Amino acid sequence: MPELPDAERARKLLHKRCVGRKITAVRAASDTIVFSGASAAEVEAQLLGRQVTDSGRRGKQFWLSLSDDLSLLLHFGMTGEMHIQGEQQNHYRKISVDVGDAWPPQYTKLELDLGSTRVAFTDPRRLGRIRVYEGDAAASPVVSKLGFDPVIDPPDPETFARLVTCRRMPIKALLLKQDFSAGVGNWIADEVLFQSRIHPAQMANSLNQAQTRVLLDQLELVCRTAVDVNAESTLFPKDWLFHYRWTKGRGRAPQLPDGRQIEFVTVGGRTSAFVPAVQVLNSPEPVEASGEDEEAEPARRSKRRKK
């Protein structure tokens, strides 16, 4: 599933190829799911003739700012991709649509012509979203409700510690909440927790100040590192769990090069990779946690009096 580095990679690509250009042709598929209820005709009418003035991103949401105070807001979902005609795609995710020489690509939902540049948004499983928003995309409901972005505006250590320790839920589940840390997905959360030496099912409100400080440092570092190499997995650090976690179900037990075993557990409804040798669960809470978000009360609940 695309995460923050994918969205930033797409944003940078669109910024480079689209900003300063005019949309001269628009072809939208008839798909009210991907277009959030809008018809193809409505989308085409709103975008045609607009000048691309800027780009932006928060978490997994990214957008193009257009003339006349309009925004084209994009979200990949699970299988969304951005394609530029004539450009090769190279990054960590297996490309869900093999473009080859064909244009537009299969499963294209939106195609834009901007002079000599052609852009396509594809989505085989139709879980992505394309929205045309009147106004600044950052003020839209889907963006404004997001939490901090680990690359754009990470909190200071004290604020982060408060945000974490006031939650009574597994730390992995908390990291995946987009209204907490926008853009963090399954592999980033697992990588951050491995580098922080914290078990994914450890309760957030049980972490101490030293642990939350390391967690914040690693959250920023993992996201910034992946963004800096344009989400190209071959350039990720060799000591990352990322490189060794994908062998589950392939007939061999996954492990790190030094022999430490990688195990998997379900936390908050998501499969989590972790290394038991360094990620020890110190909480009495069960590993099969639901991941429900519950505010931790600062004071112990008073016992109910018997009537």
Side-chain angles (χ1 to χ4, degrees):
M1 187 175 191
E3 303 187 20
L4 185 156
D6 295 271
E8 178 61 10
R9 177 184 181 278
R11 184 205 65 80
K12 288 191 291 188
L13 181 64
L14 291 176
H15 189 95
K16 177 182 177 182
R17 298 299 302 271
C18 300
V19 171
R21 294 175 179 266
K22 182 179 181 180
I23 300 174
T24 54
V26 184
R27 289 169 288 279
S30 181
D31 192 327
T32 54
I33 294 177
V34 172
F35 287 103
S36 300
S39 70
E42 289 172 332
V43 172
E44 291 173 351
Q46 287 177 302
L47 297 180
L48 185 62
R50 305 286 182 176
Q51 190 90 3
V52 180
T53 60
D54 203 355
S55 67
R57 182 194 60 78
R58 188 170 193 83
K60 302 176 188 179
Q61 303 280 348
F62 61 102
W63 59 86
L64 290 176
S65 300
L66 309 176
S67 56
D68 300 319
D69 200 26
L70 212 64
S71 300
L72 175 60
L73 187 56
L74 305 163
H75 184 266
F76 281 144
M78 290 189 69
T79 58
E81 295 277 359
M82 291 303 311
H83 304 267
I84 305 290
Q85 187 176 28
E87 290 201 11
Q88 182 70 30
Q89 297 228 63
N90 292 302
H91 57 312
Y92 86 88
R93 287 198 313 122
K94 180 180 178 182
I95 303 300
S96 55
V97 176
D98 184 7
V99 177
D101 295 326
W103 193 269
Q106 190 179 16
Y107 306 114
T108 291
K109 299 302 178 182
L110 179 66
E111 184 185 3
L112 304 176
D113 288 1
L114 303 98
S116 59
T117 298
R118 282 187 168 183
V119 177
F121 181 104
T122 62
D123 186 12
R125 295 185 62 181
R126 304 170 67 203
L127 296 172
R129 293 294 179 267
I130 302 172
R131 300 176 175 91
V132 180
Y133 180 73
E134 294 184 5
D136 182 1
S140 68
V142 295
V143 177
S144 61
K145 69 180 182 181
L146 296 174
F148 68 85
D149 185 294
V151 172
I152 298 173
D153 56 0
D156 61 73
E158 292 73 22
T159 300
F160 182 74
R162 288 197 300 271
L163 292 172
V164 170
T165 57
C166 74
R167 302 295 185 95
R168 187 179 289 111
M169 64 188 306
I171 188 59
K172 167 69 180 287
L174 179 59
L175 290 175
L176 292 177
K177 288 177 66 64
Q178 297 304 293
D179 60 359
F180 176 75
S181 50
V184 175
N186 206 42
W187 81 257
I188 288 180
D190 284 351
E191 191 66 54
V192 168
L193 291 170
F194 168 65
Q195 299 296 337
S196 302
R197 304 302 190 251
I198 297 173
H199 192 286
Q202 186 73 41
M203 296 300 285
N205 64 326
S206 72
L207 298 180
N208 60 40
Q209 188 174 20
Q211 288 175 310
T212 60
R213 180 58 186 263
V214 171
L215 184 63
L216 176 60
D217 288 345
Q218 291 300 327
L219 181 56
E220 291 184 54
L221 180 62
V222 169
C223 291
R224 288 183 184 278
T225 299
V227 164
D228 287 345
V229 298
N230 216 23
E232 175 53 64
S233 64
T234 60
L235 300 178
F236 289 175
K238 298 305 180 185
D239 65 344
W240 275 17
L241 178 67
F242 176 93
H243 298 290
Y244 314 104
R245 59 173 291 154
W246 308 108
T247 56
K248 181 186 178 185
R250 297 182 184 177
R252 64 184 186 276
Q255 61 182 32
L256 298 176
D258 61 9
R260 288 179 295 175
Q261 297 296 308
I262 299 171
E263 295 185 7
F264 298 88
V265 65
T266 300
V267 178
R270 301 295 299 276
T271 299
S272 304
F274 72 105
V275 179
V278 296
Q279 293 173 268
V280 179
L281 180 61
N282 296 315
S283 168
E285 296 292 332
V287 170
E288 284 287 339
S290 68
E292 292 182 0
D293 187 8
E294 182 180 343
E295 291 285 341
E297 295 180 3
R300 176 186 287 181
R301 290 188 179 93
S302 61
K303 295 181 179 178
R304 294 181 179 177
R305 295 179 179 176
K306 293 183 180 180
K307 295 182 179 180

